[in-house]
Structures are given as C-alpha cells and as structure tokens.
Amino acid sequence: MSDLGVWLAQQCQEDRDLLLKYQPKRFAKRGKVDRYCAWLTDFGFIEMKLELLGVQALIDDYDLAKISDVLLSDGQGETLRLIQGAIRKSAHVLEKDKTQLAGHLWSRLVDFETPEIQGVVKQAKQSRNSSCLWPLKPNLERANEGALRTLAGHSSRVTAVAIAPDGKTAISASKDETLKIWDTESGSEQKTLTGHSSRVTAVAIAPDGKTAISASWDTTLKIWDTESGSEQKTLMGHSSGVTAVAIAPDGKTAISASDDTLKIWDTETGSELKTLTGHSSGVTAVAIAPDGKTAISASDDQTLKIWDTESGSELKTLTDHSSAVLAVAIAPDGKTAISASWDQTLKIWDTETGSQLKTLTGHSSGVTAVAIAPDGKTAISASDDTLQIWDTETGSELKTLTGHSSAVLAVAIAPDGKTAISASDDRTLKIWDTETGSQLKTLTGHSDAVSAVAIAPDGKTAISASKDETLKVWDLLTGKEIASFRGETEFNCCAFAPDGVIVVAGDKSGRVHFLRLEGVSGGR
C-alpha cells in the first residue's frame, strides 16, 4: 500500500471517512495543487474512496479543479483526466464489483508512459494481496478513447432511445419491459420506469422535457414524469400492441398507432380524445404536421389517411397505391406529403385537398423509406440497393444513386440538404451530393451490415452503427473514418445529442452507450 494509503488506514474510522469525503475539495478550494494531485493519483486513496462513497463520488473529485479554478499544469491536467476517464469507463463494472478496480485501472492506463500514470499503475498491481486473475496484456479500451461510459442496466435489447430537448437526459426503452432515464453528463441511471407488462416499443419526450410517453406490446401507453420517474397515467384503449407514438409540437396531444387503429390522447389528462379507425390493416407509420393540427397515417391496407388531430375526424383517405404503404413524410411547410410503398412507387399528395399531385416511378422494388430535405425542394427514397433523389415540385427523378450491392437500410440528409448518407446491408455507407446525385464517397470499414446512421447537427461528421459490434465516426468532407468504438454485441441504433458532442447508441444486449466525441471537428 502507498504511504498515503497506509496513513489513511491508520486514522480512526470517523477521521478517515471525513478525510475521504472532504479533503480533495479542501485542497482544491485552497489552491493546494500539488497536494490535490497527490491524493487523486494515489491508488490507496482511490480504492478507499470507491469503497466508502462509490464510483460517482470518486469521479466527481476529478472535476474539483475545474469548479474551483485550480490552475493545473498541462501534465497534471492530463494525468487527472486519464485516471478519471479510466474510472468512468469501468463505472458499470465497479458499481457491481469494487474489487475489479486494480485490474481495470491497470488495463486502461498501462500503455500511457508518463511517470505519474505509471506510478498509479504500479500501485494498482502491487495492491493485489490475494489470488486473482490478472491480464497478461491490456484487454480493455484505453482511458479517454471510444465510449465515454457504458450504461448497463437493461436485461434485454434496447428498442428505442430519445434525448431530452436540453440534452441533459435520455430515456431508453427495452424488450425487458422497462424504460430507464439516464443523466447524459454523469452517465448515471436516474430512474427505472416499471409498469409495462410486455416489451416497450417506442418512447417520445414532450417538447418541454417534463414528460415522456411510452408505447408497449401490452396494448397500453404510459405517461411519465421525467423528473420523478413516476407514472402519471396509463392510456388504455388499444386492443393490440402499440407500435408507435408521436407527441404534437405543442405537447398537448399525442397520437399512437396499433394494428389498424390510431388514437389521439390528451397528454394532460391522459384521456382518449379520439379513436381514428378506418384502416383495415396494420398502421405502419404516422407523421404529425408541423402545426400539429393534422396527422397522416400509412397502412398495410394500401392507403394513407389524413386526420384532424383536434376532432379526430378522418379528413381524407389517400388511395392509389397498389401495395402496403411503408413510410410517409410531411414537407416542412405542411402543404404536401410523400408516401413510399411496396408497389415500387412514391406519391406526392396535397395535404389540404388530399389529391395526388405526382407519382414517382423508377424504383425496381418496394420503397422502404423516404426523407424530405429541410428546404422541402427535394426528397430521397430508399429501395433495395438504390436511392433516388426527386424534385418535389415537378415530381421528376433527379438522380438514381446506385452503388450499393445490397439493401439500403437507412438514409440521413445533412442539415443543409446538400449531402445525404446511406447505410446498407452491403457493409458500406455512401455519401451523396443531393444536387448532382453523384456519389462523393464510399465509407468502408464495417465488416457486417450497417444498420443505422446519424449526422451531427453541424453536418461535418456522421456516426454509423453496425452488426459488426462497432460504431464508427466519419469525416463527411474526406470520407475518412476518424474514430471507432467496439462493443460486445451488435449495435441497433445511434443518435446525436443536440450539442453534437454526445452520442447515444443502443445494442442488442440491452445496454445503452454514451460516447463523447473528443478531438473531432464539430464534436469538441
């Protein structure tokens, strides 16, 4: 044990506890930089603090210098960041088994050759005074590389994740019948929301961030208080599993989809305002207009329906597709909508009259997705191994984006509308110029299907999720892979927080991962 560790062990329990709780803060407030750093780089102190107060209290000690405006040298600052990063990355393990501290610190820090870090590494290895399994070489991701923190808690696949408008919390939904609220800054699990009796399929957070609504295969929706984690209302009325939910822009109403019906709910009272029946088969997608006054549903019954969200009345039935309608998107001005169908076509509709304006033909297989550019002038559709860019005013096909050799699984348009990224079962992503239709880059590196892609708010970087158990960050200007994180199972989804720095990803095992983009343009 280190000299400091020996000295702390010699103190009476009451004094030792007070020292562990408050001494780092005292050093920081008084500007005693060397003493502050000496304690936080001493394995004996780290081990005792973890045992007494837990992992988050230990992590917080390393932020005291910033809070108290302590002037650290570059070397001191880097040393403390590395130790904190190693502890944070192993937090999900240490919360369950504190005896893993020495092995995890050693494995995450041993490759850093500075004397201060090597001192901690040496103390960690010497601290083991009982039989243990010790890695022959580092077997964990290094400190401050890849994931900021791994959030483990779900016992089955994570099916959906939503980030609050302020970016400070996130909510995950899982097949384990629960939702979890996470603090995106500390990575800590704030609440577990229980009450559903079957898998939770979707979650939406209200615009004010104060409430959330979950949808489940148990045929119900639940409204939750995101601050307390308490269940406010259970919305009953569906007769089969609820597959989707969307909250209106004003937060006062929500619309849910289940089999062949939609329902509009008053989010304040939890009362069912309307049941929107009319589809004769499953509802596949729903979109709410920008003003919140109307919604459009798509169905396996080959139709779309426009609904008045206030009265619940069916305003229009849009017919002309000859197979299931799989997706629908509403233009930013709310005046038109585009539907995608297994009949290999898209259709542009006038949302006020319900009339069909254009039929977009060109795909040779079912159209599975559609997205409208922010300016509303172009749209991109996905079908099997191709994408198409369309002029939404004329309905003409501007470009066919070919290059993928297997099904396109996802597509995202950059905030400026000038580029798009497609993800494919062929293990690649492709960057496209939406104006010319030219393929700008092919992003290779994944070894299995790419299941999701998200573009950072500044449009400079993108992150992809793959069945190969990795997430990759890409520079959209150069097309180069600039960072990668490997998990323990395939990733299903990923999303950027509004700040473009934090990424949330869900994997097949039920874990939610929070990653910080560091040293990346647009993610500093």
Side-chain angles (χ1 to χ4, degrees):
M1 184 179 293
S2 65
D3 291 343
L4 176 58
V6 171
W7 180 78
L8 285 170
Q10 290 173 345
Q11 308 304 305
C12 69
Q13 183 173 341
E14 182 178 357
D15 288 347
R16 182 168 61 251
D17 290 354
L18 289 172
L19 287 166
L20 291 170
K21 287 180 182 179
Y22 303 117
Q23 196 61 37
K25 185 179 293 185
R26 293 184 186 127
F27 287 146
K29 285 186 175 180
R30 296 171 184 172
K32 296 184 176 182
V33 177
D34 291 341
R35 298 292 301 280
Y36 171 71
C37 290
W39 278 52
L40 294 186
T41 57
D42 186 274
F43 184 80
F45 165 77
I46 295 171
E47 187 174 40
M48 290 183 186
K49 179 107 183 189
L50 175 65
E51 185 63 36
L52 177 67
L53 297 172
V55 67
Q56 192 57 45
L58 180 58
I59 290 170
D60 291 343
D61 272 353
Y62 292 85
D63 290 324
L64 292 172
K66 292 183 287 186
I67 297 171
S68 303
D69 294 324
V70 173
L71 296 178
L72 301 173
S73 69
D74 291 343
Q76 288 172 327
E78 179 63 14
T79 295
L80 297 187
R81 283 192 292 272
L82 286 172
I83 297 172
Q84 183 190 44
I87 295 169
R88 184 192 290 118
K89 286 174 73 68
S90 293
H92 63 295
V93 174
L94 300 177
E95 285 167 350
K96 295 179 180 180
D97 186 358
K98 296 180 176 65
T99 66
Q100 298 298 312
L101 174 66
H104 274 244
L105 279 187
W106 182 89
S107 196
R108 295 194 190 279
L109 295 173
V110 70
D111 285 341
F112 296 95
E113 297 180 354
T114 62
E116 294 80 10
I117 291 296
Q118 286 302 309
V120 177
V121 167
K122 182 178 179 181
Q123 291 175 10
K125 191 163 187 178
Q126 290 176 342
S127 72
R128 308 308 296 165
N129 54 16
S130 60
S131 298
C132 66
L133 290 172
W134 194 268
L136 294 175
K137 60 181 181 179
N139 62 345
L140 298 173
E141 195 170 56
R142 300 200 319 170
N144 293 348
E145 294 182 0
L148 175 68
R149 194 163 184 163
T150 297
L151 308 185
H154 285 297
S155 59
S156 188
R157 177 177 296 183
V158 178
T159 55
V161 62
I163 300 177
D166 63 6
K168 294 181 179 179
T169 57
I171 303 180
S172 56
S174 174
K175 287 178 67 177
D176 67 6
E177 305 178 3
T178 73
L179 300 103
K180 290 183 183 288
I181 302 177
W182 309 88
D183 183 311
T184 57
E185 187 173 335
S186 68
S188 60
E189 178 185 324
Q190 302 293 300
K191 306 285 180 183
T192 296
L193 314 184
T194 60
H196 283 297
S197 58
S198 187
R199 71 176 64 180
V200 187
T201 55
V203 61
I205 300 177
D208 63 6
K210 295 180 179 179
T211 56
I213 304 180
S214 57
S216 172
W217 275 111
D218 66 9
T219 75
T220 72
L221 299 104
K222 291 182 183 289
I223 301 177
W224 309 87
D225 183 309
T226 57
E227 294 181 6
S228 66
S230 61
E231 178 185 324
Q232 293 184 326
K233 298 282 189 300
T234 296
L235 314 183
M236 296 185 291
H238 284 293
S239 58
S240 60
V242 188
T243 55
V245 62
I247 300 176
D250 62 7
K252 295 181 179 179
T253 57
I255 188 166
S256 57
S258 172
D259 198 13
D260 56 357
T261 66
L262 298 103
K263 291 182 182 290
I264 300 176
W265 309 86
D266 183 310
T267 58
E268 294 180 5
T269 65
S271 59
E272 179 184 326
L273 300 178
K274 302 291 177 183
T275 296
L276 314 183
T277 57
H279 285 298
S280 58
S281 190
V283 179
T284 56
V286 62
I288 298 178
D291 63 6
K293 294 180 179 179
T294 58
I296 303 180
S297 57
S299 174
D300 282 332
D301 68 6
Q302 306 179 13
T303 73
L304 299 103
K305 291 182 182 291
I306 303 177
W307 310 87
D308 183 310
T309 57
E310 294 180 4
S311 67
S313 59
E314 179 184 322
L315 302 178
K316 304 287 179 182
T317 297
L318 314 183
T319 60
D320 205 27
H321 281 298
S322 58
S323 189
V325 187
L326 302 180
V328 61
I330 300 176
D333 63 6
K335 294 181 179 179
T336 57
I338 304 180
S339 57
S341 171
W342 272 117
D343 66 9
Q344 305 179 12
T345 72
L346 298 104
K347 292 181 183 291
I348 302 178
W349 309 87
D350 183 312
T351 57
E352 294 181 5
T353 65
S355 60
Q356 179 184 322
L357 301 177
K358 298 282 188 298
T359 296
L360 314 184
T361 60
H363 284 294
S364 59
S365 60
V367 188
T368 55
V370 62
I372 300 176
D375 62 5
K377 295 181 179 180
T378 57
I380 299 182
S381 56
S383 172
D384 199 13
D385 57 357
T386 66
L387 297 103
Q388 307 267 9
I389 301 179
W390 310 88
D391 183 312
T392 58
E393 294 181 5
T394 65
S396 60
E397 179 186 328
L398 300 177
K399 302 290 177 183
T400 296
L401 313 184
T402 58
H404 285 297
S405 59
S406 190
V408 179
L409 303 180
V411 62
I413 300 177
D416 63 6
K418 295 181 179 179
T419 56
I421 305 180
S422 55
S424 173
D425 200 35
D426 68 6
R427 307 179 182 182
T428 72
L429 299 102
K430 291 182 182 292
I431 304 176
W432 310 87
D433 183 313
T434 58
E435 295 180 0
T436 66
S438 59
Q439 180 181 316
L440 302 177
K441 306 285 181 188
T442 296
L443 313 184
T444 60
H446 284 297
S447 59
D448 206 335
V450 187
S451 51
V453 62
I455 300 176
D458 65 4
K460 295 180 179 179
T461 56
I463 188 164
S464 55
S466 172
K467 290 184 178 180
D468 67 6
E469 304 181 358
T470 70
L471 298 159
K472 293 183 182 293
V473 181
W474 309 87
D475 184 312
L476 297 188
L477 182 62
T478 65
K480 293 182 178 179
E481 177 185 330
I482 53 179
S484 181
F485 168 70
R486 179 169 294 280
E488 296 176 335
T489 186
E490 65 188 61
F491 285 100
N492 302 318
C493 55
C494 57
F496 274 101
D499 63 5
V501 175
I502 300 297
V503 169
V504 185
D507 70 24
K508 186 177 180 180
S509 73
R511 285 183 177 175
V512 179
H513 299 261
F514 278 70
L515 302 92
R516 182 188 300 275
L517 302 184
E518 296 186 350
V520 176
S521 176
R524 296 181 187 275

